[in-house]
Amino acid sequence: MVLRRRLISVLVATVAAGLLLAPAALGASAPGGPVLVVTTSGDPFGAYYTEILHAEGLNEFATADISQVTAQTLSSYSVVVLARMSLTDAQVAMLTTWVQGGGDLIAMRPDKKLAPLLGIADAGTTLSDGYVGVDTSAPPGNGITSATMQFHDTADRYVLAGARSVAALYSNATTATASPAVTLRAVGSAGGQAAAFTYDLARSVVWTRQGNPAWAGQERDNAIDPTSGDSTTSIRPDDLFFPDYVNLDKVTIPQADEQQRLLANLVTQMSADRIPLPRLWYFPRGYRAAVVMTGDDHGNDGTNGAFDNLRAASPAGCSVADWTCVRGTSYVYSNTTISDAQAAQDQADGFEIAPHPRVPGSNPQCNNFAGFDQINATIANAISAFQASWPGLPAPTTTRTHCVIWSDWDSQARADQANGIRLNTDYYFWPDSWVQGRAGMFTGSGMPMRFAAINGSMYDVYQATTQLPDETYTTTASVQNAIATLLDDAVGPQGFYGFFTVNMHTDIANHPGRDAVVAAAQARGVPVISARQLLTWTDGRNDSSFQGLGYASGVLSFTMSVGAGARGLQAMVPVAGPSGALQTVLRDGQAVPFTTQTIKGVAYAFVDAVPGAYRAIYPGGAVGGAAAAGGGPSTATSIAARIPAFSVLARSTRAPTFPSLRRSARTFRPGGGRSFAVTFRLARTSRVVFTVRTARGAIERRIRVASHRKGTVLRLRWDGRNTRGRYVKAATYRFTVSSITARGRAQTARGSVRVLTARP
């Protein structure tokens, strides 16, 4: 943006007083996999679910238009994310049959003809731009913030009719309604489940991140930059939020990110009884946050000194590629005094110099642009002048516009794409009169995601919101407080992870605010990187994927495809599988170490994601190959129960024919290798689903057995653990055993077992 004279005076006074702190691909691809995103050509917002899945590391999905989806199509997938759309009666019947056969459906603001399948009943009213409150006492809400969060869309009002509420609609931040926002229902005896968001999550995420489309092109904040001499007609990104589109009392909560993570929990936990779905972690090498250091240089020649200070703050022997060096970006006017040789050296050292486009006439005024043609020409001319000044630098790929002018909804993103700019930092938490010292994420997100056009289609340009500009936080103390809030919320128990972009103007070489940010990051083990490093990482992570996923007899298998730039990528393998807790992970036949972490209420094993063939072994799975010493969890306590979930017995074994069962006991105490078992002979060739529920019907554990021939004798064992690998509470539990043929014919046996308090 433009540096204000009063900011310069504050910084100069601070330095003089000796208070300077000590340094310390186009569109979203569909890689394929067991998740299917179903869209409709009439609503481009549906495709934004692919961007959401990429952001959440679920890079194992395919896409299809509803017009091309058949029953045979659905049979290849474990989970379907159904975008908002109208459905025919035949399509409703097709989806219903698939869920009854064991499929898992997540429907977004569903066609009301799906209500019976979803277990909800239409209340006949709606709620717009309200709040959601997640039930954090049980999956999939465990780990999501318990605070109410805004959504920006219209939600249909329902009453529960067989489903349970995962999240409730609130009419304001504190007033709950009787209507659900997110629901979940178990369907049939084959393990199918149906979930609904009663609003369109994709629309809500886009509008939370980019602001109110109805306010596009309006100047609303009446804010004037003191040094620019501009008028109150300057339109900036904050005008899309001002004054109350974002509840600033909740600005520390990444409201869009947390709702995306609720969707990710639904996808992974609904699928857990059929196939564990691995994910990609947000950051390299286990980081939980990163600072994206940027600054603007309006020809004041502070860039060289700023970069030298960042070099000095870097530890000896650091690695730019591993993000252990302190690096940053300077957005410069083309008349900034940096030699081509110095710029090339900065580039080689991992810094970034990129253009700071200025709308014609913006000297000193901050002029608006008159539509796409003018901003497109502005960016093209800025790039041309930049390349003439520094021919040794690569073509720029990130930017910030002078005065962060944003005169309509999406012309800037469209023009960026047309000129090869892939990451934009113009969304700016400003003015200070609005922010009033708060720290947070006014776009509801700390993650880079693609911009959407007014109709919901995507631009291949990432939004990297500038959460901490020095024109909002004008003193060293305010900078310190703001960065501490962001980083502590990210690395602490709240898990508000994020890439936090700062603008510490490179007009000033020795910037106390910049030093304060670096010191805060280093004190918390958080890397400081350039905008180009963020773009390289994001592209590489999005280009990585899980290929050839399959699950059979206790073994999850897949291969890793790792995109260029995704150095330090980690895969997250669910601890809970269809047959029990994860035991070991093999890569190319060799056991690899992993650590376990609970992320948003879900336990995962973190594994270095390098190319190779992986096998995750759950109870009942054969390790095979060479299981090298040192495999399995590196935590002190094993997470695995070593009891096989099922076994195939000799056909000569005396066993009743299904649906009759032989049970091991009516009471059992988990732990110490003990289990509850049922034994039977299959009456027909079929697959089997064993489900344990509480007295109130909540699923505690589900075990799936692949199809076996008629006459096979099976023994199913339950170790007393739930889907999270924890022993259930002492109580009486109901169980069902369902036999399902290839044609969907099902038989079910039922019973109950009293479980005592577990002992080792």
Side-chain angles (χ1 to χ4, degrees):
M1 201 175 175
V2 62
L3 185 64
R4 294 185 280 180
R5 288 191 180 93
R6 67 183 178 93
L7 174 61
I8 295 176
S9 64
V10 168
L11 294 173
V12 170
T14 303
V15 173
L19 298 180
L20 184 64
L21 297 181
L26 181 61
S29 62
V35 179
L36 179 65
V37 178
V38 178
T39 61
T40 177
S41 58
D43 186 1
F45 272 101
Y48 205 81
Y49 287 107
T50 65
E51 184 69 2
I52 290 173
L53 293 181
H54 271 305
E56 294 307 313
L58 287 163
N59 294 14
E60 56 230 324
F61 62 87
T63 60
D65 188 274
I66 185 62
S67 64
Q68 304 300 315
V69 175
T70 65
Q72 184 176 2
T73 304
L74 294 176
S75 67
S76 299
Y77 297 96
S78 172
V79 179
V80 165
V81 177
L82 182 69
R84 174 185 173 183
M85 65 184 67
S86 297
L87 297 172
T88 66
D89 290 343
Q91 289 165 340
V92 170
M94 174 183 65
L95 290 167
T96 300
T97 299
W98 176 71
V99 174
Q100 289 172 339
D104 295 320
L105 174 68
I106 304 173
M108 300 295 175
R109 198 178 179 194
D111 188 311
K112 293 182 179 181
K113 291 193 286 290
L114 279 175
L117 172 63
L118 298 167
I120 52 181
D122 185 19
T125 58
T126 60
L127 175 66
S128 296
D129 287 345
Y131 290 75
V132 299
V134 177
D135 177 5
T136 61
S137 66
N142 288 145
I144 304 299
T145 182
S146 60
T148 57
M149 297 178 283
Q150 292 175 274
F151 72 90
H152 291 294
D153 186 36
T154 298
D156 292 317
R157 301 281 295 270
Y158 290 93
V159 296
L160 298 175
R164 70 176 176 93
S165 177
V166 172
L169 289 175
Y170 280 63
S171 56
N172 56 46
T174 59
T175 305
T177 74
S179 300
V182 183
T183 62
L184 180 61
R185 179 196 178 205
V187 179
S189 60
Q193 298 173 87
F197 279 71
T198 61
Y199 59 100
D200 185 1
L201 179 64
R203 278 179 168 78
S204 182
V205 166
V206 168
W207 292 340
T208 299
R209 292 176 62 93
Q210 293 181 226
N212 188 348
W215 294 349
Q218 298 181 21
E219 204 295 314
R220 301 175 58 84
D221 63 13
N222 295 315
I224 301 175
D225 192 307
T227 63
S228 70
D230 68 343
S231 69
T232 59
T233 61
S234 299
I235 302 171
R236 300 181 174 93
D238 70 277
D239 286 306
L240 291 159
F241 299 83
F242 186 89
D244 57 1
Y245 195 67
V246 57
N247 181 344
L248 290 179
D249 290 336
K250 294 181 176 291
V251 76
T252 59
I253 303 169
Q255 298 183 79
D257 293 347
E258 286 289 286
Q259 290 172 62
Q260 288 183 180
R261 289 164 187 157
L262 178 60
L263 171 62
N265 280 3
L266 270 171
V267 170
T268 55
Q269 293 178 13
M270 290 172 73
S271 179
D273 62 341
R274 187 169 180 178
I275 178 172
L277 293 178
R279 297 171 63 183
L280 299 174
W281 182 235
Y282 304 108
F283 306 89
R285 285 169 291 282
Y287 292 126
R288 293 192 167 208
V291 170
V292 183
M293 178 63 70
T294 71
D296 299 342
D297 188 342
H298 303 84
N300 291 308
D301 303 335
T303 295
N304 286 332
F307 285 175
D308 285 342
N309 286 346
L310 295 180
R311 285 187 180 93
S314 301
C318 66
S319 167
V320 172
D322 290 331
W323 293 10
T324 57
C325 297
V326 179
R327 291 297 181 258
T329 295
S330 186
Y331 295 117
V332 301
Y333 282 176
S334 58
N335 64 342
T336 301
T337 305
I338 305 173
S339 69
D340 191 41
Q342 180 62 57
Q345 184 60 57
D346 290 337
Q347 169 74 22
D349 287 349
F351 293 95
E352 179 188 18
I353 300 174
H356 191 45
R358 179 173 55 185
V359 177
S362 294
N363 190 12
Q365 279 96 0
C366 298
N367 287 357
N368 295 317
F369 53 79
F372 169 76
D373 288 344
Q374 186 179 29
I375 190 61
N376 185 54
T378 295
I379 294 171
N381 291 338
I383 292 174
S384 177
F386 176 86
Q387 292 175 323
S389 295
W390 300 286
L393 292 182
T397 53
T398 82
T399 193
R400 178 182 292 116
T401 307
H402 179 60
C403 295
V404 293
I405 292 297
W406 199 270
S407 300
D408 57 25
W409 175 260
D410 61 359
S411 288
Q412 180 85 24
R414 179 183 167 197
D416 283 344
Q417 178 174 282
N419 288 281
I421 299 295
R422 302 282 323 293
L423 185 143
N424 181 291
T425 64
D426 281 347
Y427 269 68
Y428 213 73
F429 198 20
W430 183 86
D432 54 356
S433 58
W434 181 51
V435 176
Q436 295 185 358
R438 300 175 179 91
M441 290 163 273
F442 79 105
T443 62
S445 177
M447 295 296 161
M449 291 174 63
R450 289 176 172 92
F451 283 101
I454 197 71
N455 70 349
S457 58
M458 280 180 284
Y459 295 110
D460 191 27
V461 179
Y462 294 106
Q463 178 197 47
T465 301
T466 302
Q467 291 97 350
L468 207 164
D470 57 13
E471 291 163 306
T472 299
Y473 306 99
T474 57
T475 67
T476 302
S478 65
V479 171
Q480 289 171 322
N481 290 336
I483 192 63
T485 297
L486 292 170
L487 295 183
D488 287 344
D489 284 353
V491 303
Q494 295 195 83
F496 292 164
Y497 319 117
F499 292 90
F500 303 118
T501 304
V502 304
N503 182 9
M504 298 290 130
H505 278 75
T506 44
D507 290 281
I508 296 176
N510 299 312
H511 193 313
R514 183 188 308 123
D515 295 334
V517 170
V518 171
Q522 291 183 325
R524 294 163 175 80
V526 172
V528 180
I529 62 173
S530 71
R532 184 186 287 270
Q533 284 177 292
L534 171 59
L535 175 61
T536 299
W537 164 257
T538 303
D539 275 343
R541 179 177 178 269
N542 283 353
D543 287 341
S544 303
S545 62
F546 303 96
Q547 300 288 334
L549 271 85
Y551 181 85
S553 302
V555 179
L556 171 69
S557 58
F558 58 89
T559 58
M560 277 301 310
S561 173
V562 180
R567 183 182 174 99
L569 186 68
Q570 292 179 306
M572 306 157 61
V573 180
V575 166
S579 61
L582 180 68
Q583 295 179 335
T584 192
V585 178
L586 308 177
R587 181 193 302 124
D588 296 330
Q590 299 295 315
V592 295
F594 59 82
T595 59
T596 59
Q597 296 184 53
T598 298
I599 303 298
K600 295 301 169 183
V602 182
Y604 292 98
F606 276 61
V607 179
D608 289 341
V610 298
Y614 290 77
R615 299 175 73 221
I617 311 299
Y618 296 87
V623 173
S634 61
T635 49
T637 303
S638 174
I639 58 171
R642 303 290 177 175
I643 303 169
F646 70 92
S647 55
V648 178
L649 306 183
R651 291 201 174 208
S652 59
T653 304
R654 295 183 62 181
T657 300
F658 192 83
S660 296
L661 307 170
R662 183 172 71 239
R663 52 192 297 162
S664 61
R666 294 188 178 275
T667 300
F668 98 100
R669 187 184 300 279
R674 293 179 290 270
S675 66
F676 168 74
V678 295
T679 306
F680 55 90
R681 186 185 307 275
L682 289 174
R684 57 179 64 88
T685 299
S686 57
R687 57 189 174 88
V688 175
V689 180
F690 177 44
T691 305
V692 180
R693 290 181 169 88
T694 65
R696 298 180 64 181
I699 296 175
E700 288 285 359
R701 182 73 172 276
R702 180 173 281 148
I703 298 169
R704 294 179 185 266
V705 181
S707 181
H708 287 274
R709 292 183 178 180
K710 176 181 177 180
T712 300
V713 178
L714 292 175
R715 177 169 291 159
L716 308 185
R717 295 180 181 273
W718 177 44
D719 60 2
R721 297 177 188 261
N722 60 22
T723 57
R724 289 174 286 167
R726 301 173 183 171
Y727 287 119
V728 299
K729 297 178 180 179
T732 297
Y733 293 84
R734 295 185 285 119
F735 68 85
T736 58
V737 182
S738 298
S739 166
I740 306 104
T741 68
R743 294 186 177 182
R745 181 181 177 187
Q747 278 187 301
T748 300
R750 293 177 171 83
S752 62
V753 59
R754 183 185 174 205
V755 179
L756 305 179
T757 302
R759 290 180 183 173

